[in-house]
Amino acid sequence: MTDDPRTLEQVLADYREEAAVLRVHGHRAQAESMDRMADDIATVMVDYLTWLSEDDAMSRSGRGKDYLRARFGGWLGNGMAEFRGRVRYFRACVIPVRVNLDLARGDARRLARAS
């Protein structure tokens, strides 16, 4: 494990800043490579980088405030939740996605007919 206290957001920002410096000094290919790397990481880590307000988290999960608040302290301790003023925010990757039962039933029926 590393002792680096930076967040992924900070690491990506640092790489983008370093790419900008390289570009200014004429190292366009290296700068573009660093930008692509940062873009690729941000793309695959979108649920980690996306923050949801408590209301948005309730909509996404179908769970109530009690569920979210019971887990908030643990998530806060490991960087998966934070306060912004008086509002709780959660990284999207820790919030379950509500299952669309109608869609799931339709898929099950289609699979059953295809068998």
Side-chain angles (χ1 to χ4, degrees):
M1 210 77 216
T2 181
D3 292 331
D4 190 346
R6 296 180 301 167
T7 63
L8 179 57
E9 291 90 345
Q10 185 60 53
V11 169
L12 291 173
D14 290 350
Y15 277 117
R16 292 182 198 285
E17 185 177 324
E18 191 171 331
V21 170
L22 285 168
R23 194 171 285 107
V24 166
H25 292 287
H27 302 284
R28 181 173 297 294
Q30 293 92 334
E32 289 175 3
S33 179
M34 289 184 84
D35 282 335
R36 277 193 310 275
M37 178 186 64
D39 290 345
D40 288 347
I41 292 168
T43 298
V44 298
M45 297 298 294
V46 68
D47 275 352
Y48 180 85
L49 295 169
T50 300
W51 288 92
L52 302 172
S53 68
E54 188 170 55
D55 288 342
D56 290 340
M58 288 189 303
S59 293
R60 175 185 170 114
S61 68
R63 305 286 178 99
K65 283 185 181 184
D66 291 343
Y67 172 86
L68 295 171
R69 290 182 179 183
R71 288 156 181 78
F72 184 80
W75 289 337
L76 180 67
N78 63 21
M80 297 295 161
E82 66 183 22
F83 272 113
R84 294 184 191 171
R86 300 178 79 186
V87 179
R88 289 172 176 83
Y89 279 81
F90 306 86
R91 288 194 186 272
C93 63
V94 298
I95 303 300
V97 178
R98 179 192 327 224
V99 176
N100 183 332
L101 292 177
D102 292 334
L103 190 62
R105 285 185 192 110
D107 287 346
R109 285 187 201 109
R110 280 189 291 284
L111 285 172
R113 278 181 275 196
S115 299

